[in-house]
Amino acid sequence: MENRSFYNEVLTEHNMRPDFKHDLPDANLVLEGVNPSCGDDIYLKLKVEGDTIVDGAFVGDGCAISQASADIMLGMIVGLPKDEALHLADCFIRMIKGTASEEEIEELDEAGALRDISHMPARVKCAVLGWHTLEEIFKNPEKARPKAD
Amino acid sequence: MLDLRKDFPILRGTDVVYLDSAATAQRPACVMEAERAFNDERNANPLRGLYAWSMEATEAYERARQTVADFVHARQPEEIVFTRNTTEGLNLIAYTWACTNLRPGDEVLVTVMEHHSNLLPWQMACERTGATLRFLECDQRGVFPEEAMRAAVTERTKLVCMGHVSNVFGRVNPVEKMAELAHSVGALMVCDAAQSAPHIALDVQKLGVDFLVFSGHKLCGPMGIGALWARMELLEDMPPFLRGGEMIEYVTRDSATWAEVPHKFEAGTVNASGAVGLEAAIRYLQTAGLETIESHVNALTERALKGMQALPHVHVIGSENAVEHSGILTFTVDGVHPHDIAAIFDSDRICIRAGHHCAQPLMKHLGVGSTARASIYLYNNEQDVDRFLESLATLRSRMGYGE
Ligand SMILES: Cc1ncc(COP(=O)(O)O)c(C=O)c1O
């Protein structure tokens, strides 16, 4: 049980200085994601045109793992077609469950920095929160449309 | 300083610092030995059986009941019902006494600092009977103002439920005073002693309560065994909790009469080796002396608390006075989520707890999302505290804060 490496610089940097943690007024898909075990609570906001995620952000709060993971995710998926983003989500979630191949983890690029969390069952929900919320948004986009008031 | 560490096999020859005793305590060798002896020498169903092993098993189980009765100063051993844990004891009261005695319009008073185990059973009983659940609030330091206590009890109050020591603050609550107030309006008083039993000599007569419950595993006993104490008259009037074997007198095709108290409440095969282990744990604490244990715990808590107060980004919840913590130090660190705190401590081989501590209404009341908690017990020593403080001091920089 040597010093676990999941609080590496990638993670602390994204937690301390997130690039995508801000409001996104022109988002057309917004969904809350909650992880009751840590009390992580985020809103994932996407602006989707046609099939492409043209912009994205998140707000809310939670533990370092949930925040960094959501931030890294947004850095990767903004600009991607929806299907490619969902493919990455699938790879990421399987990486955390310990069933992704080395090639798939390579595809995950910076998000691969979170791979050691697969050894910490208690934190799995934190790591996948953003990605899971992304999947939910596209599974049921009607639920994620901001209500016109 | 007490040196009891050597009695605990799990702590021998390891550098792990265990600071989560409020969740569950470690067990001394004598507890495992008592269970082993039961299993290896007299294991049988303790049914007052017709052969030597079964008779011995029955004797061992009933002797454990006597030890628990003496431990809490019950009038007679029959006032002790063995349960799995505190949670089961509280549910037993809720499903039996509360569900048969509460009526619409009655009030059940609980405090906002209760563990979920001392809240959810009352939510259920109120839902089923139409009674109303009311809350006694504490201040930010975990104190119940006497005025608030008086105001919370009304002529409609039928049951008051209070933890003796909160698992978040560690402060000893005014159970005696609350019991007096409850009785002044004819209500009964339930005391959750899960966190006090490991630290304070319990005396149900002095506390003046009507029900008291605790878990064996928090006082160095095995998991899966706990006890409920209630006054005999109450136990005799209450219907059974679970039904089945070993709790009956006569059974016909469509009816049954119940065995005597406490067997009426101990349906099915009991955890006899657990009870024997619990007895050994109680004897172990009594031999060390609860007061000696508490002064050891208080001295270490003082050392930890001083060190924490010296760190600018660390905030301890509750009293500023170490002796008002029962070894429980719940805290936050600016900018670091409690689960990250726990993970970093874990990488330094230090066990602490993080989360809502099964007290979500309290966390809301205090305006904190979740917190970290270190809890100190008899086998901890100064090195443990110092290692805890060292990790705590470097925690923020390891999370990327430059300071
Ligand atoms: C104050 C309090 N009440 C009740 C419980 C529940 O105890 P158990 O899980 O042994 O039933 C606990 C344990 O965490 C506690 O701290």
Side-chain angles (χ1 to χ4, degrees):
Chain A
M1 249 188 288
E2 65 293 344
N3 203 344
R4 293 205 178 84
S5 53
F6 55 78
Y7 283 119
N8 49 31
E9 254 182 353
V10 176
L11 197 148
T12 54
E13 265 307 298
H14 279 279
N15 178 47
M16 300 278 296
R17 282 170 281 276
D19 299 316
F20 294 91
K21 189 168 178 175
H22 53 73
D23 195 19
L24 193 66
D26 60 348
N28 52 10
L29 291 174
V30 176
L31 193 66
E32 183 179 18
V34 178
N35 163 25
S37 81
C38 274
D40 305 324
D41 189 352
I42 63 167
Y43 283 86
L44 182 62
K45 305 187 169 210
L46 300 179
K47 182 178 175 193
V48 178
E49 280 172 7
D51 253 349
T52 306
I53 302 168
V54 295
D55 204 355
F58 76 105
V59 294
D61 43 37
C63 68
I65 295 175
S66 68
Q67 304 297 292
S69 182
D71 198 56
I72 294 170
M73 173 187 85
L74 282 158
M76 295 173 67
I77 64 165
V78 168
L80 286 190
K82 163 188 141 186
D83 287 345
E84 280 179 43
L86 286 175
H87 167 71
L88 290 178
D90 177 58
C91 291
F92 184 87
I93 289 168
R94 282 188 299 104
M95 172 183 83
I96 297 294
K97 288 186 183 154
T99 63
S101 67
E102 280 307 317
E103 294 81 62
E104 287 172 318
I105 294 175
E106 215 143 279
E107 263 187 82
L108 285 170
D109 200 23
E110 215 185 357
L114 291 160
R115 68 184 297 177
D116 283 339
I117 289 169
S118 60
H119 305 302
M120 273 223 93
R123 306 306 295 280
V124 163
K125 288 209 171 96
C126 321
V128 302
L129 180 64
W131 297 91
H132 179 70
T133 310
L134 176 73
E135 288 188 333
E136 290 298 306
I137 279 189
F138 287 116
K139 213 182 275 169
N140 199 345
E142 284 320 307
K143 262 178 55 188
R145 298 249 184 259
K147 309 227 172 358
D149 41 18
Chain B
M1 282 267 126
L2 271 186
D3 183 18
L4 298 176
R5 205 178 175 84
K6 56 182 187 327
D7 298 340
F8 292 79
I10 196 171
L11 300 175
R12 288 180 202 148
T14 177
D15 64 342
V16 170
V17 173
Y18 188 71
L19 292 173
D20 197 19
S21 298
T24 198
Q26 296 303 341
R27 296 189 263 286
C30 62
V31 167
M32 271 83 86
E33 170 54 26
E35 286 190 278
R36 188 209 56 77
F38 179 90
N39 289 321
D40 291 1
E41 294 163 22
R42 58 189 61 90
N43 179 47
N45 205 315
L47 297 170
R48 276 140 251 284
L50 299 173
Y51 51 91
W53 281 353
S54 177
M55 283 184 276
E56 283 180 36
T58 307
E59 250 169 58
Y61 184 63
E62 294 304 326
R63 200 178 48 232
R65 194 190 306 279
Q66 178 73 56
T67 301
V68 174
D70 295 342
F71 180 58
V72 301
H73 292 89
R75 287 221 168 79
Q76 51 190 113
E78 292 77 14
E79 289 183 335
I80 299 297
V81 176
F82 281 118
T83 60
R84 281 191 304 138
N85 48 37
T86 303
T87 305
E88 187 174 273
L90 292 165
N91 274 279
L92 189 157
I93 306 166
Y95 276 100
T96 61
W97 190 89
C99 282
T100 44
N101 288 288
L102 295 177
R103 301 278 172 273
D106 289 348
E107 292 177 0
V108 175
L109 180 65
V110 300
T111 90
V112 69
M113 75 168 75
E114 296 315 307
H115 188 281
H116 295 163
S117 292
N118 198 21
L119 170 61
L120 273 59
W122 315 124
Q123 288 179 348
M124 177 281 301
C126 287
E127 211 168 276
R128 290 192 176 200
T129 60
T132 307
L133 191 62
R134 297 196 48 213
F135 284 85
L136 172 64
E137 316 281 334
C138 62
D139 68 16
Q140 287 288 311
R141 295 169 312 134
V143 175
F144 295 108
E146 191 163 332
E147 275 318 292
M149 285 166 56
R150 287 186 185 286
V153 175
T154 74
E155 70 282 5
R156 289 183 298 276
T157 310
K158 288 290 176 302
L159 191 68
V160 178
C161 311
M162 182 183 252
H164 197 184
V165 166
S166 138
N167 62 320
V168 173
F169 292 107
R171 188 194 289 276
V172 180
N173 287 326
V175 169
E176 274 183 67
K177 181 79 217 169
M178 203 64 229
E180 215 181 287
L181 288 169
H183 291 156
S184 74
V185 296
L188 295 185
M189 177 81 193
V190 175
C191 176
D192 169 359
Q195 291 296 347
S196 58
H199 295 272
I200 309 174
L202 295 174
D203 185 336
V204 292
Q205 314 301 339
K206 259 208 220 130
L207 286 171
V209 297
D210 301 287
F211 298 97
L212 178 137
V213 292
F214 67 91
S215 301
H217 69 94
K218 294 200 199 268
L219 45 82
C220 302
M223 291 183 181
I225 188 80
L228 157 75
W229 167 86
R231 283 192 289 109
M232 197 59 187
E233 315 86 83
L234 291 170
L235 290 172
E236 278 176 341
D237 278 351
M238 281 153 55
F241 175 33
L242 302 173
R243 286 149 210 254
E246 336 248 330
M247 49 77 70
I248 49 85
E249 199 178 30
Y250 296 108
V251 178
T252 65
R253 285 190 181 213
D254 46 26
S255 72
T257 53
W258 314 131
E260 290 187 343
V261 169
H263 307 292
K264 177 169 90 177
F265 297 105
E266 294 181 354
T269 298
V270 297
N271 181 3
S273 64
V276 167
L278 172 58
E279 170 178 39
I282 290 174
R283 293 207 182 288
Y284 179 79
L285 295 186
Q286 288 172 334
T287 305
L290 277 165
E291 281 180 20
T292 313
I293 292 172
E294 235 5 45
S295 50
H296 175 81
V297 167
N298 287 341
L300 293 178
T301 307
E302 170 91 30
R303 188 182 183 91
L305 187 58
K306 277 227 176 84
M308 294 166 91
Q309 285 163 343
L311 296 170
H313 298 285
V314 174
H315 311 282
V316 177
I317 289 179
S319 177
E320 285 169 9
N321 192 349
V323 300
E324 293 179 326
H325 278 274
S326 308
I328 291 174
L329 293 166
T330 301
F331 63 99
T332 56
V333 179
D334 291 337
V336 188
H337 188 281
H339 280 198
D340 300 320
I341 299 176
I344 290 187
F345 273 111
D346 177 45
S347 71
D348 293 343
R349 300 171 65 71
I350 299 171
C351 315
I352 65 153
R353 165 130 204 225
H356 48 62
H357 311 297
C358 300
Q360 288 186 23
L362 176 62
M363 295 291 129
K364 223 178 180 131
H365 180 62
L366 296 176
V368 292
S370 62
T371 56
R373 180 185 74 191
S375 48
I376 293 168
Y377 203 24
L378 48 86
Y379 32 70
N380 290 118
N381 56 24
E382 291 183 347
Q383 275 133 280
D384 291 347
V385 171
D386 292 347
R387 274 198 34 212
F388 167 76
L389 289 172
E390 263 165 50
S391 290
L392 188 62
T394 59
L395 207 133
R396 273 175 51 96
S397 66
R398 287 154 80 184
M399 286 304 291
Y401 292 93
E403 56 194 344

